[in-house]
Structures are given as C-alpha cells and as structure tokens.
Amino acid sequence: MSVINEWVLQDHKARLLCRLAEGSFWRWSGRLVLALIFLNSTLCFSAIWPTVYVLPNVGISPEFLCLVMLLAAWVALFGKPSLKALGVLAAIYLLMAVGRYADVVVPNLLGRPVNLYWDIPELPRFLWVTVQGFPFWLSALATAAIMLLVWGFHRLLMLAMQTVADAALPVARSTVLWGTLLLVGAVVVANYSDDPEKPTFVSKAVVPVYWKEAMKLRDILTPSRAARLLPAATVVDDALAKPKGQLLAGLNQRDVNLIFLETYGAVLYDQADSAQAVVSTRAELEKAIAASGRQVVSAFYVSPTIGGASDLAHLSVLSGIDLKDSRKHDVLLTTQRRTLTDLFEREGYETFGVYHSVGWDWVERSFYSYDRYIDGPALGYQGPAFGFWKIPDQFAAARVEQLYPRDQNAKPRFTFFPTISSHFPFHQVPPYQPDWQKLLSSEPFDKAEADRAQAEPVSWENMKPDYLRSINYTHTWLAGYFLQPEPRETVYVMVGDHQPTGSVSREPTPWDVPVFVVSKDRQLLDRFRAMGFSDGLTPRQREPLGGLHQLTETLLKGFGSEP
C-alpha cells in the first residue's frame, strides 16, 4: 500500500510540474483559493442584527483548520479520499454550518441562545403554522427548493473538499505543509476566545455548541443529574409549606407589580459620566413618586448575568434559585418547581405576565403558569414601531390597565412586567407621550417626533449616549406612570436585570443592580429598611445585600406577617 501511495504522490508532483509548464497553474491555484474561502466562510459568519441574514466574517474558523489538517492527513496516510468519504465529511460539515447559523441567528429572533430541548419539538409546529397561509403548490415548491438548496450546498462542499485534497496530494508529507498548519493552529488556539467582549479574528467554534447542548439535554433528561443541579427545596417551597393566609399578610390584599428594568445596572451610579447623564430624570422620578403619596426604598443586589440573558435574572427572583449557571435555568424550565407566581396564586391573587417584546409563540411560558399571559400582539399596538422590539414600554403599561381594569370587584393582582425600551442596541428611543389617553389611540405620538426617533441609526462604535437616553426615557415614563390615577393601591418592586455590555461601560464592572420598593404603606417599607434598604432611588449602602435569588426571601419577609 505504501508503494502505491508513493507512486500516486510522485504522479501528482509530475502533474503539478506539467501545470506549471502549461500555464494552468494559476487557474488551479484560483480554484484552490476559492475552495478554501468557501469552506472557511461556511463556518465563519455572523448575523445581521436583527434579521435572519448573515455575512461572512474576516477571520478563520477552528473547524475549517481542522478540516484542512484532516484532509492532508488522510491523503498522506491513505491517498485520495473516495467520493463516499467526502460525502460523509461534507454532511458533517453541513451540520456544523446549521449549528453555527442557529447559534448566531436564534438570539436575534428569540432573545436567547438556541435551546434544543425547547426548539426541536417546536420546529414541526412552526413549519406547519407557517405553511398554512400558503397554497399547497407554493409550499411544495418551497420544500423542493429548500431540499435542492441543501443538496447543492452539500455537493459544493464535496467539490471544495476534493479540490483541497487534490492540492494536498503532492505535498501531503511535506514538513513545510505540516509546519505551516501547526503554526497556524497554534496562532488560532492562542487567539481563541468565547467572550463576545474580546474581539478576535478566530471565529467561535461550532463543536462546543453541539457539545454544550448535548450535555444540557443529558442534564435535563437524566433525573439524577437534574436533581444535583437544582436545590432540593427553595425559599418558595418553604413558604408554601406554611398555612395559607400568612405569607402575604403584610400586603393587605394590595396589588403587586414586579417590574424588571431592562439593562439597568449599577454602572448608572458607579461611573461619574453615566450618573451625571441620568441624575436629572432620576430626580424627576423620585419627585413623582413622592407627589403620588408614595415612598421608595432601595438597595443593590448581584445579578446572575451581565450584558444580556435577562431570563436568568427574572427567574432567579421568581424561583429563589441562583441561576448564574445557565444550565440550572434550562433544567428548571423543564420541571414543575413552584415560583412566586404559584405562591401569589395560592394566596388568592390573579397573576399576569406582560411580555410586550414577544411576538412569537413563546413555549417556555408554560413553566411560568401565569393566569393571563399577554404578549405583544395581544396589546393591539397601532402606533409606529421603535427598534426591533417595536412596542414602547409606556404604551404596554397603559394598555394593560385599559384591557384589564382593576376595579374593586377584581381579585388582587400580581403582575410581572419586564421592560424592553432600554434594550441593546439602544437606538430608536421612543418619545414620551404626556397625554396617556392619546397614547392609547391609533396615533399615539406626534408624527414629527416619531419620525425623528425612527430615523435614529444604530451607533455600533459608541453606544453609551443612546443607552443613557434610553434610561432617561425609562425614568420619564415611570414618573408619568406614578402620577396617573391609581384604581387600587399597588406595591411596586422594580429590579434592574443586569449591567449593560462592555461596549457601553467601556471598563470591567461588577454585576450589581439596584432594587426599588415603592409603596404608600410606610410600615411595609420599614420592613425593607430593617433588612438593609435605604430611602430614595440611590442606595446609601453600595455593598450588595446578596444575589437576586436572595431577594426572593427578602420580598417574602417584607410581604409577610412575621416581624
């Protein structure tokens, strides 16, 4: 066999010399370069936010380098690979391309990373619902086109791999080739980083994405592993073990609004320029709270996430579980663990989940088990769209009150309301509408103001000014909200979900976020003061009181009957 391989190598060397003599070397080199670029770009691309489209990156994929090494090694040991072997290799490479696509596009569409446990079962239903609006012939044509596209892409991968293998034949055992490949490999390893805040020319590897999802599925589907990831019992479980009627006695049947403030982190206090930029609107908010007859107390807590993945913060508070390890979050969603939602329901509250940023069928909502789940389409917003999330926070807050009025006969209400207007990338900040009745009309904003906001481009190089404007908008609409007539007395808990990304803060920051409790009941607020909260929207104690999962116990103590 070695004699045959040596003969094949010599034959290809002779052919290479012939190409040089005939002048076809440059055409052959061009095909090789195109094949290499095609194979690399198949796994080295990024999504065009916030669309499903992608663009090739200027960089190198680790799997591409591994493929070139594999083909060179195959040729050196076994000679030219067969079409069957290339077909299998191309199929694996195509699967990695699909994984890369899902990894960069799904966060754009769903606001979270890909999750095979939830996404794969939903794929058939998504496809079925999608084709319902089209005639049969068009659906069949689209299916055939997709199959043809996949087949064609697979064939192109095979052709490119064959071109690379052919080029490797004359030099497969060359120390120059392997020295070059190993040197490039060392450079790739030295510059590889999973941290999106550390730009590098090396593309994120795809194999770890599949490995991570496989390990996640293992943790979810293996009861013993799931049990090890999650605590045996939580503060919510302990609370529910107590007699009914005691848990929320301190609320006296008042409504509770748990509002998560998007990207509202301690950077707004710690950095002098950020603090100065929002101090005026924060003061207006504090003034509005006082004018409404309420008081506010505040403290810092540590978020389980930074720069994104708001769900980790949301569910940490609702469950009382530290979800800094995102695997715990994913496993938790597959269980029937009880949360604050269940606790309020047991105590006679009607629970609302207001997710105006969601415009798709959010399957994970089944875990939260709200009595009423309200997404973006359910609000019937007719005004201009601002940014990717379209619906302004101010409108969502007002529309829920209009759709579900809180009269004296309605059950006490627990509302979970995550804001979105201050979400990355912070462009197209909605204008504030001081006329809250006009806000609910078909033309909620002045056209000139709306057009001006919609024309705002994304400033990828310098996001901080837009970020601070979005925070000022949050302060302003909340101030107006607290000054509106209140149908029933309500206790408000406002929680920052996480710090902004490093592209905004421009320096390493702690994961701390502020928590505010707003109420007309001074005695209720005294409970929180006794646990470390201080008066006003600026906590006096900079040291955080704990993680957001520990805020759960703080809320239960504050709302309970025990001193």
Side-chain angles (χ1 to χ4, degrees), residues 248-279:
L248 305 176
L251 290 172
N252 293 322
Q253 297 292 292
R254 297 184 184 93
D255 294 337
V256 175
N257 276 16
L258 177 55
I259 303 175
F260 267 86
L261 304 177
E262 175 63 40
T263 324
Y264 200 105
V267 66
L268 296 167
Y269 297 85
D270 294 345
Q271 291 188 355
D273 59 338
S274 298
Q276 184 61 36
V278 302
V279 65

Side-chain angles (χ1 to χ4, degrees), residues 188-230:
V188 166
V189 170
N191 288 275
Y192 184 78
S193 174
D194 271 331
D195 187 351
E197 299 301 319
K198 295 180 180 178
T200 175
F201 64 89
V202 182
S203 177
K204 181 182 176 183
V206 183
V207 172
V209 174
Y210 277 109
W211 177 256
K212 180 181 177 181
E213 288 303 304
M215 294 300 99
K216 188 188 301 178
L217 288 175
R218 180 200 63 179
D219 292 337
I220 291 171
L221 300 176
T222 307
S224 60
R225 288 187 174 276
R228 285 201 297 269
L229 273 175
L230 300 177

